[in-house]
Amino acid sequence: MSLPTDHPLVSGKTATSPMVQALNGIAQSTPPIWFMRQAGRSLPEYREVRKGIGMLDSCLRPEIASEITLQPVRRHKVDAAVFFSDIVIPLKLAGVEVEIVPGVGPVLNSPVRTRSDFQKLDTLNEDSLKPIADAVRLCVAELGKTPLLGFGGAPFTLASYLIEGRPSKELPTCHTMMTTDPELWSDILQWCANITAEFLRTQINAGASAIQLFDSWAGRLTPTQYETYAMPHAKKVFQLIEDLPVPRIAFGVGTKKILKQMKSTGATVMGISNDISLEEAVKILGTNTPIQGNLDPELLLGNWEDIESAADQIIREGRSAKSHIFNLGHGVVPETDPYLLTKLVEHVHAAL
Ligand code: CP3
């Protein structure tokens, strides 16, 4: 299999966009820019559309998901749209009872902790994924030359919700399962790899020009734990979509110690969180890897002067990488003034 002939990378619509070029390692005179969580609560137009509709329900209504995806592109003139969805959507589509509790995050009715829980898990098919394909097609048609970035959760991060049943810093049930029942752990993560790969495949086939694999919590593992319990499964996701040639970004928070290992899963671009500078990231990864990042999202709650000088330093340091895509070190904080995000986009686009 390969990309459909009407795919925007094949038809030429997005292939020469600054975002796709930078993702492919061709440095741009000023870095393209987008924001993780650019769609969402920082925007009044988002809060308006979401009135009375649950978070995951809004992801499964194609007109709504498409509209929310387009909002930050219209407002901020960012160089890429990121598909409005969530890493737990494939769980929900596979029949897992999961809700996003505002201010908390994903919460499951029945976490998966035993072999018999695991055996009840279903798989995904074209029918269940139809709302995703429909939403992607709708927004790609509107986006024209602006690429859409698809995404999914890496097996470790996804499994952390599936097994703990809610957001957890220490991940106690996961740590116990890894060491006392490594076979069950591995089977659950392989299942997660399969459903995330199907989720990504659907987005790519419907027109996403690149994808990002979020292993947001991988930085909580030691390098040895990451290598044994998470990395093989992240690798599997990329292997499962190997036939679809799009740029592949890997991202996690606090991943300094495992940056090289994350790259070796098959990512072509590395997302950098703000625990290290881009200079350090280039030292670790070498000058042959495109990088993305990494302004501290909390700086956007402060004044413009601090944002500007931090952004300028990031642009300077990004020039030593093969290519650079400007982003935050993690998602936009809901309290961010959207005016500052627009101003940052203008500033980065005008950088000398
Ligand atoms: O603009 C974008 O970046 C695309 C949209 C996007 C969402 N979730 C929408 C969302 C993306 C890329 C995600 C990925 C995601 N979801 C991750 C990985 C990225 C990361 O942040 O590290 C994770 C860990 C999740 C799980 C999740 N979903 C959490 C922890 C939360 C926050 C809960 C809260 O209320 O604080 C969500 C909810 C969520 N996903 C929101 C959005 C816009 C907020 C929901 C709302 O509007 O009430």
Side-chain angles (χ1 to χ4, degrees), residues 4 6-9 14 136-137 140 147-149 201-210:
D6 61 347
H7 189 280
L9 278 181
T14 59
V136 169
R137 278 200 198 90
V140 165
L148 176 75
L149 189 70
R201 174 174 294 281
T202 303
Q203 295 169 67
I204 299 168
N205 275 331
S209 292

Side-chain angles (χ1 to χ4, degrees), residues 37-39 41 46 50 55 82 85-86 103 161 214 216 330:
R37 290 275 168 95
Q38 63 190 17
R41 284 171 293 182
Y46 168 81
R50 276 285 320 281
M55 164 63 197
V82 53
S85 197
D86 199 89
Y161 293 106
F214 282 94
S216 301
H330 200 182

Side-chain angles (χ1 to χ4, degrees), residues 212-231:
Q212 176 158 319
L213 192 63
F214 282 94
D215 213 347
S216 301
W217 314 138
R220 294 183 188 162
L221 297 174
T222 65
T224 311
Q225 286 172 329
Y226 176 73
E227 196 150 333
T228 313
Y229 300 116
M231 195 169 115

Side-chain angles (χ1 to χ4, degrees), residues 142-213:
E142 292 284 317
L143 281 165
K145 292 180 174 172
T146 304
L148 176 75
L149 189 70
F151 74 92
F156 170 70
T157 293
L158 200 55
S160 76
Y161 293 106
L162 190 64
I163 294 168
E164 299 295 340
R166 55 189 303 115
S168 153
K169 269 218 153 50
E170 290 79 19
L171 306 171
T173 323
C174 290
H175 283 286
T176 303
M177 192 191 291
M178 277 174 204
T179 46
T180 62
D181 196 345
E183 238 171 71
L184 178 60
W185 173 262
S186 170
D187 287 348
I188 294 176
L189 269 78
Q190 282 296 296
W191 182 83
C192 289
N194 281 321
I195 61 163
T196 284
E198 287 308 308
F199 184 52
L200 291 168
R201 174 174 294 281
T202 303
Q203 295 169 67
I204 299 168
N205 275 331
S209 292
I211 52 113
Q212 176 158 319
L213 192 63

Side-chain angles (χ1 to χ4, degrees), residues 2-16 20 204 207-209 244-246:
S2 54
L3 296 174
T5 47
D6 61 347
H7 189 280
L9 278 181
V10 178
S11 70
K13 265 193 183 152
T14 59
T16 56
V20 169
I204 299 168
S209 292
L244 299 171
V246 300

Side-chain angles (χ1 to χ4, degrees), residues 269-290:
V269 179
M270 281 309 298
I272 312 295
S273 70
N274 48 260
D275 58 315
I276 54 171
S277 66
L278 290 191
E279 191 182 1
E280 285 174 90
V282 174
K283 269 196 199 129
I284 296 169
L285 291 165
T287 52
N288 216 11
T289 301

